[in-house]
Structures are given as C-alpha cells and as structure tokens.
Amino acid sequence: MSARAHPLILAIRPEPGLAATLAQGRRHGLAITGVPLFEIRPRGWDAPDPARIDGLLIGSANAIRHGGTGLAAFIDKPVFAVGAATADAARKAGFEVAAVGEGGLQGVLAAIAPPRRLLRIAGEEHVALDPPEGVGIETVIAYESAALPLSPELGAQLAKGAIVLLHSATAAAHFAAECGALGVPRAAITLAALGPRIASAAGKDWRAIHMPDRPRDAALLALVAKLCL
C-alpha cells in the first residue's frame, strides 16, 4: 500500500508508550502522528504480606510507574518482567530484575523454577495466565486505562484514509466504537495490530488488518513502513 493512499499514520496508545512509538517510528522514516485515546490512571491496591511473596511478575512498565507506595514493601523481591522496557523501568525504580521475556508473560512463567509465589501487579485489562505446577500467582490491580474520545476533526482525517497502530485489545475495541460513533468508514482505514487478540477485538470490515511476526513495537513499525512503500 502506498503512502499516498494513507496520508495519515496514527498511533493511539497512552503515554509514555506513545512517545516511544513516535520516536521509533520516525527512525523508520515514518511521518507518524500520535493522539492518545487512553490515559493511564493509578488505582489503590492492598499489598499482601511480603513474607509470602518470592518475586514480582510485571507485564507492563505502567505497573512500576503507577504502582504507588505499595511497591516499596517489595523492593527486595526479584522482578520477572515481560520485556526490556518493563525491566528498565523496574531497575530505575530500584528493583533487581531476575528475568526478561520476549513473547508475553506466559513465556516468562515457563522459565521460572518452582516453588515460587509471585505477586502480579497488573492493569485492569490483563490476560489470563496458566502458571506451571508449583508456581502460584496473586494478582493486584494497580492501574487502569481510561478511554478518551476521538475528536470529529481527527475522524474527518481518518475518513480520507489512514493506517492506525493498535497496541491492545481495549484500544482496538474503543477505536472501533469511536469510528462508529463518528461515522468514520472502516473501509478507509488499515489497521496494524500487535497480535491476533488485538486484531479480533477491532472487528471486521476494515480496509485491511495486518500483524507483525512478533508482538513487538519495533516489528509493528517495520510492518507499517513496508505498508507505506
């Protein structure tokens, strides 16, 4: 697909991930626009007894950024992080990182030797996990993603043709609903979704839906760059 057919390349994820996506996209030579349709907000959570926790299972840097004062009780616990950005956020907060995954938290779990009791600090939207035998998980919800409206002005731009990057199933469903509310034709929009679950949440009737071979932001942006050739 040509850049001329898609004058707008839009990322809608919340900050601070949005800024990272924009910077990386521009390194790919993309004229990418960022308009967050979500705002990450902290939620209060009750910390379990640290004595019964062997480590922290962290699926997003937002868990560290928005975990609040409750994190301090677990500063001596090793962190099992979903990826490099999450691991970096944990280290900057003073945690020791025991393992860094590449393909989701389920893969991180598979490499953890039992017995372990892990505290999963998660967002309101989080995927179910199947821990191996001997590995237990307690989950607390430390943050939520609040949806923001799509402006009529942006809707009008989208109607002329666009590629939209989707980083979560919640974002996909919300974007689809906002397009429906504004009467933006799905046939004008190509979606670049980070994975199958996200693509499914967006629904059907888009011009096209593409996914990278790996659920990584860099791979998603490389895919978009190819779509613009």
Side-chain angles (χ1 to χ4, degrees):
M1 295 185 184
S2 69
R4 180 176 297 177
H6 297 282
L8 176 65
I9 303 171
L10 178 68
I12 62 172
R13 67 187 306 195
E15 294 290 8
L18 179 60
T21 292
L22 295 180
Q24 191 163 201
R26 287 162 186 158
R27 287 195 291 271
H28 280 278
L30 298 172
I32 187 169
T33 298
V35 178
L37 290 192
F38 295 89
E39 180 181 74
I40 303 299
R41 298 172 181 171
R43 283 177 45 168
W45 54 282
D46 295 323
D49 181 1
R52 70 170 187 259
I53 300 298
D54 300 312
L56 303 183
L57 188 63
I58 307 295
S60 169
N62 285 320
I64 302 297
R65 296 187 184 105
H66 300 282
T69 58
L71 289 175
F74 304 94
I75 197 67
D76 62 337
K77 308 296 182 182
V79 166
F80 298 88
V82 71
T86 301
D88 287 345
R91 292 188 187 100
K92 289 176 182 176
F95 289 94
E96 177 185 345
V97 176
V100 182
E102 291 187 354
L105 278 183
Q106 190 61 53
V108 176
L109 275 177
I112 296 176
R116 292 269 188 169
R117 184 72 180 175
L118 303 176
L119 177 63
R120 183 184 186 186
I121 303 176
E124 185 176 38
E125 181 205 1
H126 57 278
V127 299
L129 297 174
D130 182 19
E133 186 174 354
V135 176
I137 300 177
E138 293 186 43
T139 301
V140 296
I141 305 303
Y143 64 93
E144 63 187 10
S145 181
L148 303 174
L150 184 70
S151 72
E153 294 78 13
L154 183 55
Q157 292 182 58
L158 290 167
K160 297 175 183 177
I163 298 175
V164 177
L165 283 67
L166 299 176
H167 287 80
S168 74
T170 296
H174 176 55
F175 178 73
E178 288 295 294
C179 285
L182 291 175
V184 178
R186 293 190 177 196
I189 299 171
T190 293
L191 300 180
L194 202 58
R197 177 170 165 267
I198 298 169
S200 178
K204 300 178 180 180
D205 300 325
W206 304 96
R207 176 171 181 171
I209 300 179
H210 298 272
M211 290 174 285
D213 56 2
R214 294 180 299 120
R216 309 283 289 186
D217 202 26
L220 184 67
L221 289 161
L223 169 65
V224 172
K226 289 181 180 178
L227 293 176
C228 292
L229 293 177

